[in-house]
């Protein structure tokens, strides 16, 4: 009996030592923003302007502060902001700032009872929504910010365990792209659609896997400068504070980007890449390394190339990336928005763009940026799922409330300024106007007046995606829309 008690005591002492060592190891490699587990924090305009700092020439304001779990963003033609709230199963509309105080004029639920909706896209009169297990779309009326029909799923039965978020966007060639993260930290997936970027036609047809080996590419966008598809990617956990790097990848069709066998510049993963078979070693050797490496565990999510002509020259065509922030590090890191700038030699330089979400001692988290959107006037919107907020970053000082009962006038853009961007396309626009017999309606029934007071060249081009009846949708290409817009603005005085 005494012998049994002796061995039992030895067992529990040994077990305690093992657990103590494991707990110490866990604590040394984890620094979690725990309040996100219970809904995050609340923020105010005073806290935002006091804590957050924007890059030189910009200022930040709290656009909306009651958007729990705010994730993805898209901007309507009217300037309203659509935001997904996956944990609440809904998508909301934040009304544009008409009174000029920098804040949304209100919000409403567009659609609810969805399965963790994340990615959002407005295209050709549709609002596309990427749920965790499906992709759906619903007709959307830009004029008054309402759904104009029934929501219908075009892709179903997607897996949503592990990295469940799905993100969607439309390529310049008209393909609908969809990203899906891995089901695990590091493993060999059974479903080939996991850890990939896929694409399909806008109605869901011709669904195919486009690129593989991407552990969790939450954000992606096309560069207006070189046309490349760039995607962020979150590296694996439990390799220490400084490994592996998170990645920015240039995505090309049918290419493999390393996960789960390698990370960074073809470094074999200790679980599945080291001492691997010759076949896997060759797969690693053939994998595509990142074009840029972020610090380990910074968790880059949304990426958005700035396109507005209103942006300063040094930021036009730069990419903003939201670093959601680490948890698998002993000291917190990330928690900011950075800008990426491409040099003439292709080298990428990173700068801080919006920071202050993490205290100076790296202990307290005030926010976790997720997604980025830009409107035609160059205002930049950033979501924060920790503070349940959407921020607006604009050029110049913060905007103050306009004490007037009158509606602010639309900002006018002179025709000359609008056309100075691409005057050579006006001739193509004239050919489109004539070949489609536009004058039949617009010379008598619907004369075109004061276009430059209502539209820029870009917003007028966007109008052709979902024109007001009886004007039909001609399904113009991006080049044709641009050309027609420039022609109409150049000719409006004679129409």
């Amino acid at each position: 009996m005494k012998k049994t008690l002796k061995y039992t005591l030895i067992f529990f002492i040994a077990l305690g030592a093992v657990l103590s060592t494991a707990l110490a190891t866990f604590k040394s490699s984890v620094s979690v923003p725990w309040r996100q587990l219970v809904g995050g924090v609340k923020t105010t305009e005073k806290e935002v302007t006091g804590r957050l700092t924007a890059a030189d020439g910009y200022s930040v304001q709290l656009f909306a502060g009651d958007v729990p779990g705010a994730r993805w963003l898209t901007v309507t033609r009217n300037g309203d902001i659509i935001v997904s709230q996956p944990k609440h199963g809904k998508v909301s509309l934040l009304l544009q700032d008409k009174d000029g105080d920098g804040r949304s004029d209100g919000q409403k639920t567009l659609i609810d009872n969805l399965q963790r909706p994340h990615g959002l896209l407005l295209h050709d009169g549709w609002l596309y929504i990427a749920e965790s297990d499906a992709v759906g779309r619903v007709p959307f009326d830009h004029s008054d910010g309402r759904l104009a029909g029934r929501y219908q799923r075009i892709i179903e039965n997607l897996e949503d365990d592990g990295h469940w978020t799905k993100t969607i966007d439309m390529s310049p060639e008209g393909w609908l792209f969809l990203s899906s993260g891995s089901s695990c930290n590091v493993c060999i997936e059974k479903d080939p659609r996991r850890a990939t970027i896929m694409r399909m036609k806008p109605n869901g047809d011709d669904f195919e896997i486009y690129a593989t080996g991407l552990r969790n590419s939450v954000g992606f966008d096309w560069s207006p400068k070189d046309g490349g598809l760039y995607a962020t990617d979150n590296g694996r956990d439990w390799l220490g504070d400084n490994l592996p790097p998170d990645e920015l990848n240039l995505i090309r069709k049918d290419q493999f980007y390393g996960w789960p066998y390698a990370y960074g510049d073809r470094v074999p993963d200790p679980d599945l890449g080291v001492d691997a078979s010759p076949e896997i070693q060759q797969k690693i050797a053939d994998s595509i390394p990142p074009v840029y490496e972020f610090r380990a565990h910074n968790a880059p999510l949304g990426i958005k190339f700035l396109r507005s002509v209103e942006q300063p020259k040094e930021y036009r065509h730069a990419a903003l990336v939201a670093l959601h922030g680490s948890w698998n590090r002993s000291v917190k890191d990330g928690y900011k928005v950075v800008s990426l700038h491409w040099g003439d030699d292709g080298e990428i330089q990173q700068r801080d763009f919006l920071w202050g979400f993490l205290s100076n001692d790296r202990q307290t988290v005030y926010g976790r940026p997720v997604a980025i959107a830009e409107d035609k006037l160059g205002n930049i919107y950033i979501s924060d799922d920790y503070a349940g907020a959407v921020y607006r970053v604009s050029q110049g000082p913060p905007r103050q409330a306009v004490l007037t009962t009158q509606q602010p006038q639309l900002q006018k853009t002179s025709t000359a300024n609008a056309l100075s961007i691409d005057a050579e396309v006006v001739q193509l626009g004239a050919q489109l106007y004539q070949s489609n017999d536009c004058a039949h309606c617009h010379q008598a029934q619907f004369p075109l007046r004061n276009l430059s007071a209502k539209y820029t060249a870009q917003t007028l081009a966007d109008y052709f995606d979902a024109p007001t009846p009886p004007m039909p949708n001609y399904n113009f290409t991006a080049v044709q829309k641009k050309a027609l817009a420039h022609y109409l603005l150049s000719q409006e005085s004679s129409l």
Side-chain angles (χ1 to χ4, degrees), residues 7-75:
Y7 286 119
T8 300
L9 182 60
I10 292 173
F11 170 78
F12 280 109
I13 290 173
L15 178 62
V18 170
L19 291 176
S20 178
T21 301
L23 182 59
T25 301
F26 179 80
K27 285 184 175 179
S28 69
S29 59
V30 170
S31 183
V32 176
W34 295 107
R35 294 187 67 174
Q36 184 140 14
L37 302 178
V38 293
V41 299
K42 294 291 184 181
T43 193
T44 65
E45 178 67 29
K46 183 178 180 180
E47 290 174 326
V48 168
T49 56
R51 289 194 180 116
L52 300 186
T53 302
D56 288 347
Y58 291 92
S59 61
V60 59
Q61 286 183 274
L62 180 63
F63 183 70
D66 187 21
V67 196
R71 290 285 292 192
W72 224 250
L73 302 171
T74 190
V75 184

Side-chain angles (χ1 to χ4, degrees), residues 76 111 119 140 153 354 477:
T76 75
I111 186 171
F140 182 79
R153 286 181 161 190
L354 182 66
T477 66

Side-chain angles (χ1 to χ4, degrees), residues 238-296:
W238 307 115
L239 292 184
D241 277 3
N242 300 311
L243 286 177
D246 289 330
E247 300 178 357
L248 178 71
N249 291 297
L250 177 56
I251 306 300
R252 294 190 173 94
K253 193 174 188 304
D254 298 327
Q255 296 300 306
F256 172 68
Y257 288 84
W259 186 88
Y261 306 112
Y263 60 79
D265 191 359
R266 303 186 179 97
V267 178
D269 184 272
D271 288 354
L272 294 176
V274 174
D275 298 325
S277 67
E279 179 184 3
I280 296 304
Q281 291 180 32
Q282 186 61 52
K283 195 172 180 68
I284 293 173
D286 293 339
S287 66
I288 307 299
V291 294
Y292 184 77
E293 294 182 355
F294 300 97
R295 286 166 60 89

Side-chain angles (χ1 to χ4, degrees), residues 157-473:
N157 301 317
L158 298 173
E159 286 192 358
D160 63 351
D161 54 331
H163 296 116
W164 54 266
T165 62
K166 306 292 188 296
T167 306
I168 51 174
D169 208 345
M170 189 69 67
S171 76
E173 295 78 27
W175 285 91
L176 182 64
F177 277 66
L178 173 71
S179 66
S180 176
S182 66
S183 65
C184 59
N185 179 36
V186 54
C187 65
I188 298 174
E189 298 283 6
K190 295 180 180 178
D191 186 337
R193 299 172 298 179
R194 300 306 299 257
T196 69
I197 289 179
M198 300 161 277
R199 74 175 185 179
M200 69 196 86
K201 292 293 179 59
N203 64 357
D205 289 346
D206 299 334
F207 186 91
E208 64 178 355
I209 295 173
Y210 189 81
T212 60
L214 298 161
R215 180 176 177 272
N216 192 24
S217 289
V218 177
F220 56 90
D221 193 15
W222 287 263
S223 167
K225 190 172 182 179
D226 64 27
L229 170 58
Y230 291 86
T232 60
D233 196 24
N234 286 219
R236 63 158 296 178
D237 302 314
W238 307 115
L239 292 184
D241 277 3
N242 300 311
L243 286 177
D246 289 330
E247 300 178 357
L248 178 71
N249 291 297
L250 177 56
I251 306 300
R252 294 190 173 94
K253 193 174 188 304
D254 298 327
Q255 296 300 306
F256 172 68
Y257 288 84
W259 186 88
Y261 306 112
Y263 60 79
D265 191 359
R266 303 186 179 97
V267 178
D269 184 272
D271 288 354
L272 294 176
V274 174
D275 298 325
S277 67
E279 179 184 3
I280 296 304
Q281 291 180 32
Q282 186 61 52
K283 195 172 180 68
I284 293 173
D286 293 339
S287 66
I288 307 299
V291 294
Y292 184 77
E293 294 182 355
F294 300 97
R295 286 166 60 89
H297 312 300
N298 274 202
L301 298 185
I303 177 172
K304 178 61 63 176
F305 284 93
L306 298 180
R307 293 172 167 83
S308 173
V309 296
E310 304 296 333
Q311 299 296 349
K313 184 177 180 181
E314 64 178 315
Y315 283 98
R316 201 176 306 156
H317 299 165
L320 298 186
V321 178
L323 303 182
H324 198 228
S326 64
W327 66 266
N328 187 213
R329 284 184 101 256
S330 59
V331 179
K332 294 182 178 69
D333 198 16
Y335 299 96
K336 59 185 175 181
V337 177
V338 298
S339 59
L340 301 181
H341 304 259
W342 275 252
D344 293 337
D345 59 357
E347 183 178 355
I348 299 174
Q349 180 188 54
Q350 176 179 315
R351 307 176 192 171
D352 286 351
F353 184 80
L354 182 66
W355 62 96
F357 297 100
L358 181 64
S359 63
N360 290 335
D361 63 5
R362 296 182 175 271
Q363 295 294 316
T364 305
V365 174
Y366 302 110
R368 305 189 75 185
V370 177
I372 301 154
E374 179 193 33
D375 68 19
K376 303 304 180 186
L377 299 178
N379 297 305
I380 298 163
Y381 299 87
I382 299 168
S383 63
D384 179 342
D385 64 351
Y386 191 73
V390 174
Y391 312 104
R392 182 162 80 171
V393 179
S394 305
Q395 294 180 63
R399 302 185 184 187
Q400 302 297 321
V402 179
L403 299 179
T404 176
T405 57
Q406 297 179 347
Q407 293 292 333
Q409 294 183 346
L410 291 170
Q411 179 173 336
K412 294 186 178 182
T413 302
S414 71
T415 303
N417 287 339
L419 290 174
S420 65
I421 304 168
D422 251 322
E424 68 270 14
V425 302
V426 171
Q427 185 175 358
L428 172 59
Q431 295 172 355
L432 288 169
Y433 188 84
Q434 295 166 5
S435 63
N436 288 285
D437 196 21
C438 300
H440 179 78
C441 291
H442 286 298
Q443 278 188 341
Q445 296 173 278
F446 305 102
L448 300 172
R449 298 190 181 99
N450 300 319
L451 292 179
S452 62
K454 302 175 183 177
Y455 300 98
T456 65
Q458 183 62 59
T459 57
L460 183 55
D462 290 342
Y463 171 82
F464 301 135
D465 283 332
T468 302
M471 180 176 172
N473 187 341

